[in-house]
């Protein structure tokens, strides 16, 4: 699915206070929460399953990553950012870093 189409579909299921009125706080908190759910499931794979990624756990992670995507797309919309443009610019930034040999390291502006 193309990211712009996904964003349109995600909008249909968005229900929260001040939706579509620049309420970036709600989806930002949701994004952090869902990213935490991904991390928690991976932590439990290490703790309970010896690091073995089963088909079931992979499916659960797929669901959580979908939740991350939903909040990401929703946050883009509340910030009046085009998700496809955000994705394009990220690829452009990473390709530039790769070409300059500075994928590793830290700092937003390297
Ligand atoms: Mg979730």
């Amino acid at each position: 699915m193309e990211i712009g189409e996904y964003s349109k579909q995600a909008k249909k299921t968005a229900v929260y206070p001040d939706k579509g009125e620049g309420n970036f706080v709600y989806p930002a908190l949701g994004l952090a929460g869902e990213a935490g759910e991904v991390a928690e499931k991976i932590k439990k794979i290490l703790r309970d399953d010896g690091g073995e990624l089963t088909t079931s756990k992979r499916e659960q992670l797929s669901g959580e990553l979908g939740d991350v995507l939903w909040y990401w797309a929703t946050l883009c919309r509340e910030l009046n950012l085009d998700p496809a443009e955000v994705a394009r610019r990220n690829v452009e930034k990473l390709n530039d870093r790769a070409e300059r040999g500075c994928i590793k390291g830290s700092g937003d502006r390297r």
Side-chain angles (χ1 to χ4, degrees):
M1 175 180 275
E2 189 265 330
I3 198 69
E5 178 59 27
Y6 175 82
S7 182
K8 287 178 189 170
Q9 295 297 321
K11 185 177 181 180
K12 293 179 182 176
T13 57
V15 179
Y16 54 88
D18 301 323
K19 169 191 161 187
E21 298 176 19
N23 180 4
F24 55 84
V25 174
Y26 183 90
L29 293 173
L31 179 59
E34 293 300 340
E37 288 185 33
V38 171
E40 184 73 12
K41 289 200 180 312
I42 291 174
K43 180 199 78 179
K44 289 180 178 176
I45 289 169
L46 295 175
R47 184 190 68 190
D48 301 337
D49 304 322
E52 181 186 352
L53 180 59
T54 63
T55 300
S56 171
K57 295 294 168 96
R58 181 179 287 110
E59 283 300 312
Q60 290 174 28
L61 284 166
S62 176
E64 296 303 345
L65 289 168
D67 293 343
V68 167
L69 182 63
W70 190 94
Y71 278 107
W72 174 83
T74 301
L75 181 56
C76 285
R77 193 171 55 252
E78 292 290 0
L79 292 171
N80 199 27
L81 294 170
D82 176 2
E85 181 65 10
V86 170
R88 187 196 63 74
R89 290 183 66 186
N90 181 254
V91 167
E92 188 177 279
K93 175 184 76 176
L94 295 173
N95 285 339
D96 178 62
R97 286 180 182 174
E99 288 172 12
R100 293 182 293 110
C102 53
I103 287 284
K104 291 183 179 179
S106 59
D108 289 340
R109 300 247 177 231
R110 64 182 191 276

